[in-house]
Each structure stands twice: as C-alpha cells, then as structure tokens.
Amino acid sequence: MTYLTRTSLGLCSLLCCSLVSQVARAEQPPASVAPAPPPGTYAEPLPQTAPPAPVATAPATTETAAPAPTPASATKPADASAPADGKLHLQIDPIAPPVVRTSRLHDGFYVRTSVGLGTMGVTIDTPRTSYNLDAKGDTLDFNLLIGGSPSPGVAIGGTILTRSLPSADFEYQGTLRESDVGTVLVGGFVDGFPNPRGGFHLGGAVGLAQTQIKHSDVAGFTKAGGIGLAGWVGYDLWVGDQWSVGGQLQMMGTRTNGKVDDTTAPVSTRSAALMMSVLYH
C-alpha cells in the first residue's frame, strides 16, 4: 500500500472511534436532581438542639438573708413638681412692672429752699448810751431746709435762716450812724402738712442765732450770739410727682448778746418776710 492509503485508513479509524464515544455519551442517563417542593409548602426545618441541662441549686435554708441597704436617694419620694419626661424645664417669672405713684404724697426726703423780701427791726441796748439804739428797714431773706419724713405729711431736719438788712440808720448822740445788719439762725425744724397729699403746711424752727453789725463804732461790737425762733405758714402747688412750688409768710426773732468793755449788750431782732419756695418732697 502506498503512503496515502495508509494515511486515509488512519484518519477513518480515528473518525470511527470519535463517533462511537459520542454515541456512548448520549446513551448515559442524566444525573438525578432533587425535585423542587411544590408551591405553598415549606422546607423541612432544621433539627433543634437539645436544651441545656438544668443547673442544680442549693436547697433553701430557713434563715433569710438581710436585705441590702437601700440608698437614701432611692427612698426619697418623687417630687410631684418634677416633669414627667425627666427633662429640666426653666421657668422665668415675668418682671413686675415698677410701682408708679397714683397720687402725690408728701413723704421721704425733704429739701426746701426759699428766697424773699421782708422787713426787720433791730434794738441794741448798749452801755455807751443811756437809751437804746433802734433801726429798721427792708431785708433780703434766704432759707434752706434739709430733712426727711418719719411719717407722711411730717418733715423734720436742719435749717439755716438768714436776714440781711443793708444800710440801717442808728441814731447816736444826735447823729445817724449807718451800718449793715444781718442775722443767722442755725437749728432744727418741723414742717407739717395736715393733708399729706395737699399743699397747705405750717412749721417752725429753733436754734442758735448770731447778729452781725458791720461797723463797730455803732454799738462797740460787731457780733452777738444767742438763740432764735422762727415760724411760718404757706401753701405749695404740685408741679411734679415730688416737686412743688409755693409761697409762705415767715416770722423770725432773735435774742443775742454782745460784749462792750466786759459788759453785756443785748441785741434783739424782729422780722417778717414773704417768701417764694421750691420744695422736693
């Protein structure tokens, strides 16, 4: 046989073997597959594990154990005002409005200042003459009162009252001597309002007084010291919650003593004034 014939026979044998193997594979049955469960059914549950064995406990004794101490905070009764949700709630009280006076009232701190015009008479009993030296004239007057109210409608405190008589004429041995004269009273006062909400008031003052005579050749001295008294009545009109203005009639008298050659020389003054005043009360 030739080389081609041999080659053809080899290829044919290989082809026959391949066909036989393919037919053998086709005739084998397919592998068995578990059928799927029908719809609406459940798969068998997994087997459960056995429960743990019970643990043996010691038999109870007749003696009972003492209860554990309870903290003081646990026995404290619940605060009824505490919120149910356990949260802290802040409550801010509203600010009370300021108290406003509905009616004006004379109480508390008291300050009165007054100025006015008046008249004053001066009498000096000097040993230099056999008669008294007299003078009178118009005055310029000033008052300052500072104090407080122990009760509505009543004021007490300290005061300064002044009288100034310029160019007073004193007759001395047939001639006239001119000199300025002034008086000052420093002491305590009381001023009262019968109606604490009204304007009518009356009061008085008492204290130490001094009389000053500018020219010493008139009576032989320039200063005399003693006591003084004053009284007044007036009416004030409200112009604010604590401010008022008004007028008053004031009377004042002093009794002082000067020294002339180791001799006492009494001096007395008498004055009346119509004054305008401003009051804080």
Side-chain angles (χ1 to χ4, degrees):
M1 300 176 69
T2 63
Y3 178 74
L4 292 174
T5 306
R6 290 177 183 177
T7 303
S8 300
L9 290 176
L11 292 175
C12 290
S13 61
L14 289 176
L15 180 60
C16 290
C17 291
S18 176
L19 290 174
V20 170
S21 62
Q22 291 292 336
V23 172
R25 289 178 182 179
E27 291 178 354
Q28 290 181 359
S32 62
V33 180
T41 61
Y42 298 93
E44 182 179 357
L46 296 174
Q48 298 182 356
T49 60
V55 180
T57 58
T61 60
T62 56
E63 296 181 359
T64 58
T70 305
S73 59
T75 59
K76 183 178 179 181
D79 189 1
S81 61
D85 55 4
K87 297 180 180 179
L88 180 61
H89 297 276
L90 297 179
Q91 180 178 357
I92 301 176
D93 296 332
I95 300 176
V99 178
V100 180
R101 277 187 176 181
T102 58
S103 177
R104 292 164 177 173
L105 180 68
H106 287 289
D107 62 349
F109 186 60
Y110 178 104
V111 177
R112 182 188 294 274
T113 179
S114 307
V115 294
L117 299 175
T119 181
M120 182 172 70
V122 182
T123 299
I124 303 174
D125 185 6
T126 175
R128 285 190 172 186
T129 63
S130 58
Y131 54 89
N132 295 335
L133 298 177
D134 294 321
K136 63 179 181 180
D138 297 330
T139 58
L140 178 63
D141 311 318
F142 174 78
N143 296 346
L144 178 62
L145 294 81
I146 301 176
S149 296
S151 63
V154 178
I156 59 175
T159 182
I160 298 176
L161 311 179
T162 66
R163 301 286 187 269
S164 178
L165 173 60
S167 303
D169 292 330
F170 293 93
E171 183 179 355
Y172 179 68
Q173 294 180 350
T175 62
L176 295 177
R177 299 290 181 88
E178 184 179 283
S179 177
D180 297 341
V181 179
T183 60
V184 178
L185 186 153
V186 179
F189 78 91
V190 176
D191 195 17
F193 294 81
N195 180 4
R197 305 182 190 278
F200 178 75
H201 69 102
L202 67 164
V206 60
L208 300 177
Q210 185 180 72
T211 303
Q212 296 179 346
I213 301 174
K214 184 175 182 180
H215 301 294
S216 60
D217 57 350
V218 173
F221 58 90
T222 58
K223 294 182 180 180
I227 61 173
L229 295 172
W232 57 83
V233 59
Y235 193 89
D236 298 322
L237 295 174
W238 290 105
V239 295
D241 290 340
Q242 295 176 320
W243 291 93
S244 57
V245 297
Q248 64 180 8
L249 176 63
Q250 187 177 90
M251 311 293 291
M252 178 174 166
T254 64
R255 178 73 175 182
T256 57
N257 295 313
K259 292 290 186 177
V260 178
D261 300 329
D262 296 331
T263 304
T264 300
V267 180
S268 61
T269 65
R270 311 159 296 279
S271 64
L274 185 61
M275 312 183 75
M276 300 296 294
S277 63
V278 177
L279 172 66
Y280 177 89
H281 192 206

